[in-house]
Amino acid sequence: MEVKHTIQVLRGGTPIALKRQQLRLEVIKGADKKHRIDFDLDRIVIGTHERCDFVLTEPTASRQHCEIALVDGGYAIRDLESTNGTFIDDLRIHEVVVDRETKLRVGDATIKLTPLDSAIEIPLSTQASFGPLVGASPAMRRVFEQLRKVSPTEATVLITGESGTGKEVAARAIHEGSARASGPFVVVDCGSLPANLIESELFGHMRGAFTGAVRDRVGAFESASGGTVFLDELGELPIELQTRLLGVLERRVVMPLGGTQTRPVDVRVIAATNRDLRMQIARGAFREDLFFRLAVVTVEMPPLRSRKEDIKLYVEKFLDELGARGAFKLDEPTLAKLQSQPWPGNVRELRNLVERAAALGEEAIPGEPAALPAVSAVDVSIPFKTAKQALIDDFERAYCEKLLAAQGGNITKAARVAELDRVYLLRVLDKYGLRPKR
């Protein structure tokens, strides 16, 4: 049986629900033979950990072995760097998309994936906004419905999604829709601070706790008392601080650096990341227990390329905020060009484009983001591979020089702005001798 695309349930032309085909997972060989569950989730994690969606007792399976995600055209099966691998037939896979019944080997267990005729309806919000968030697409209406349900609760929320999709805006929307709305909303950017300052930023410090600590400082958890603390770029948090954070979440007390007495905190915690934390767990870079403590409710912000019908709404919203609605025109050809772009920077990239047009006094919104500079000097007397590498080297060096200059030599912040892994950026900097001297 093949996968059928998700269909929209309409009322008066407005989508009110998504009708989704269910997926059956059944163990047909191994220690858990006959174990069977029918799923309607976006993502199913298979493994031996008790918090997995499809839990195995198979000794050759890893704690979080692999995952199955609903994507356009079928189901993406991805190995989570398991010890014994994930196989389809005799082929070991890293990631593959299937669109029909498939037999998957997880360690010594064989699991049959069967798309079912039965379907369930996933409700969508009837509104095209939630707090500061806007969007008329089914993908965003589904997010709004999730936020509407979780906001009044005290549940810890993990918001995932690519850079620029509006994770912080979603966190503010949750806060504003909660009973804590009158309390503070404190943001900690875990990716922009040096490791030695993040602990003080989170938990505070006492005078004399370290060189330069000339006075007591209250940390984010105490500052947010009665409100919400938002941990942005959580995946950047050093592993040693993850242990302290877990303790705070479990005991709801903090101990400032250099302190001897714990202090109770009354906060709701919302975290966000653009990293794949399950993969980070497999690599030993993120604590599994902290992940499950934070991911009580998970909300995934969809990329702009998957909801292009929202682009017109965003452009009009940004123009209104800039007071430039009457100065620009957004005709159908321009809108079509905007909707054809991949938008790797998502909503943030679109906003930057609109702001640039407003700042330059252009008569129309540009139909596409700024292009990369054209290559003007190519030496065809040398081999293609050599010439290509030389151009790449020149670009990498120039980009990194300007990037570091713009971020004042702060490598962590530079990596975040460039949307690069910090270790990878350090490797590139070392390649050209650009790493700042301490």
Side-chain angles (χ1 to χ4, degrees), residues 18 26 46 151 157 162 186 228 253 259 264 269 271 278 293 399 414 428:
L18 296 176
E26 181 179 7
I46 300 172
S151 292
V157 181
E162 298 175 7
V186 178
T228 303
V253 295
V269 178
R278 290 188 186 274
R293 185 65 185 78
Y399 183 91
V428 176

Side-chain angles (χ1 to χ4, degrees), residues 47-53 55 63 292:
T48 60
H49 191 280
E50 61 182 8
R51 294 286 296 275
C52 287
D53 303 298
V55 180
R63 288 169 63 81
F292 286 117

Side-chain angles (χ1 to χ4, degrees), residues 113-129:
L113 283 58
T114 308
L116 302 177
D117 280 334
S118 59
I120 54 96
E121 287 192 3
I122 300 170
L124 304 178
S125 172
T126 57
Q127 305 298 315
S129 65

Side-chain angles (χ1 to χ4, degrees), residues 318-358:
F318 299 151
L319 288 175
D320 284 341
E321 291 173 353
L322 295 166
R325 172 74 80 100
F328 296 95
K329 60 181 179 180
L330 183 61
D331 55 25
E332 289 302 318
T334 299
L335 180 59
K337 287 182 181 179
L338 289 172
Q339 292 177 333
S340 69
Q341 300 303 316
W343 300 109
N346 293 292
V347 180
R348 184 186 297 132
E349 182 182 0
L350 177 60
R351 184 184 181 93
N352 289 344
L353 182 143
V354 175
E355 287 184 350
R356 184 172 68 249

Side-chain angles (χ1 to χ4, degrees), residues 12 31 43 82 115 124 126 143 159 229 248 261 266 279 282 284 372 405 421:
R43 193 177 306 273
S82 62
L124 304 178
T126 57
V143 168
I159 305 173
V229 62
V248 172
Q261 298 285 331
D266 172 27
M279 197 63 79
L372 293 173
D421 181 81

Side-chain angles (χ1 to χ4, degrees), residues 190-199 238 241 410 412 422:
C190 301
S192 66
L193 293 169
N196 61 331
L197 294 182
I198 296 178
E199 191 169 11
L241 289 185
N410 186 319
T412 299
R422 189 175 185 276

Side-chain angles (χ1 to χ4, degrees), residues 65-126:
H65 196 103
C66 63
E67 68 175 10
I68 304 169
L70 181 69
V71 297
D72 289 341
Y75 298 97
I77 303 171
R78 188 171 61 133
D79 183 73
L80 295 174
E81 299 196 359
S82 62
T83 301
N84 293 319
T86 302
F87 293 79
I88 294 179
D89 296 325
D90 292 327
L91 180 65
R92 183 167 185 166
I93 64 168
H94 171 67
E95 183 170 355
V96 67
V97 176
V98 300
D99 63 356
R100 63 198 66 211
E101 183 177 285
T102 303
K103 291 180 181 177
L104 192 67
R105 187 151 53 86
V106 174
D108 289 338
T110 301
I111 302 171
K112 184 168 71 171
L113 283 58
T114 308
L116 302 177
D117 280 334
S118 59
I120 54 96
E121 287 192 3
I122 300 170
L124 304 178
S125 172
T126 57

Side-chain angles (χ1 to χ4, degrees), residues 20-308:
R20 172 172 299 168
Q21 188 176 11
Q22 291 183 294
L23 178 69
R24 173 172 293 168
L25 268 59
E26 181 179 7
V27 180
I28 58 175
K29 179 183 177 183
D32 303 286
K33 189 174 181 180
K34 296 187 178 180
H35 176 41
R36 186 179 80 180
I37 300 179
D38 296 345
F39 289 100
D40 52 46
L41 302 174
D42 291 340
R43 193 177 306 273
I44 305 164
V45 179
I46 300 172
T48 60
H49 191 280
E50 61 182 8
R51 294 286 296 275
C52 287
D53 303 298
F54 195 69
V55 180
L56 302 175
T57 62
E58 175 62 53
T60 57
S62 296
R63 288 169 63 81
Q64 295 188 69
H65 196 103
C66 63
E67 68 175 10
I68 304 169
L70 181 69
V71 297
D72 289 341
Y75 298 97
I77 303 171
R78 188 171 61 133
D79 183 73
L80 295 174
E81 299 196 359
S82 62
T83 301
N84 293 319
T86 302
F87 293 79
I88 294 179
D89 296 325
D90 292 327
L91 180 65
R92 183 167 185 166
I93 64 168
H94 171 67
E95 183 170 355
V96 67
V97 176
V98 300
D99 63 356
R100 63 198 66 211
E101 183 177 285
T102 303
K103 291 180 181 177
L104 192 67
R105 187 151 53 86
V106 174
D108 289 338
T110 301
I111 302 171
K112 184 168 71 171
L113 283 58
T114 308
L116 302 177
D117 280 334
S118 59
I120 54 96
E121 287 192 3
I122 300 170
L124 304 178
S125 172
T126 57
Q127 305 298 315
S129 65
F130 185 85
L133 288 168
V134 298
S137 64
M140 284 305 290
R141 288 180 185 272
R142 186 181 177 203
V143 168
F144 298 158
E145 184 66 9
Q146 290 178 297
L147 299 183
R148 182 188 67 79
K149 290 178 178 178
V150 76
S151 292
T153 73
E154 286 288 298
T156 303
V157 181
L158 177 64
I159 305 173
T160 64
E162 298 175 7
S163 292
T165 50
K167 296 187 289 295
E168 182 174 339
V169 182
R172 288 185 182 276
I174 294 172
H175 172 72
E176 291 170 7
S178 73
R180 295 176 176 269
S182 59
F185 179 81
V186 178
V187 179
V188 179
D189 189 340
C190 301
S192 66
L193 293 169
N196 61 331
L197 294 182
I198 296 178
E199 191 169 11
S200 172
E201 182 73 18
L202 288 171
F203 312 123
H205 65 251
M206 306 298 291
R207 184 169 67 89
F210 52 85
T211 303
V214 295
R215 61 179 62 88
D216 293 353
R217 186 183 191 283
V218 175
F221 274 86
E222 286 188 87
S223 297
S225 183
T228 303
V229 62
F230 174 54
L231 305 177
D232 198 10
E233 301 300 345
L234 180 75
E236 306 292 337
L237 194 67
I239 192 78
E240 60 272 13
L241 289 185
Q242 294 174 24
T243 303
R244 278 209 67 183
L245 176 59
L246 179 63
V248 172
L249 295 177
E250 290 180 341
R251 294 185 288 274
R252 297 290 164 166
V253 295
V254 297
M255 170 121 26
L257 284 171
T260 57
Q261 298 285 331
T262 59
R263 302 173 182 176
V265 291
D266 172 27
V267 296
R268 182 182 193 175
V269 178
I270 303 175
T273 182
N274 62 5
R275 288 180 174 268
D276 185 332
L277 293 187
R278 290 188 186 274
M279 197 63 79
Q280 294 287 93
I281 291 169
R283 295 168 181 166
F286 201 85
R287 289 188 60 120
E288 186 177 54
D289 46 4
L290 177 58
F291 171 79
F292 286 117
R293 185 65 185 78
L294 289 167
V296 176
V297 176
T298 301
V299 176
E300 184 170 358
M301 298 299 292
L304 187 56
R305 63 182 173 274
S306 71
R307 49 188 182 95
K308 295 182 178 181

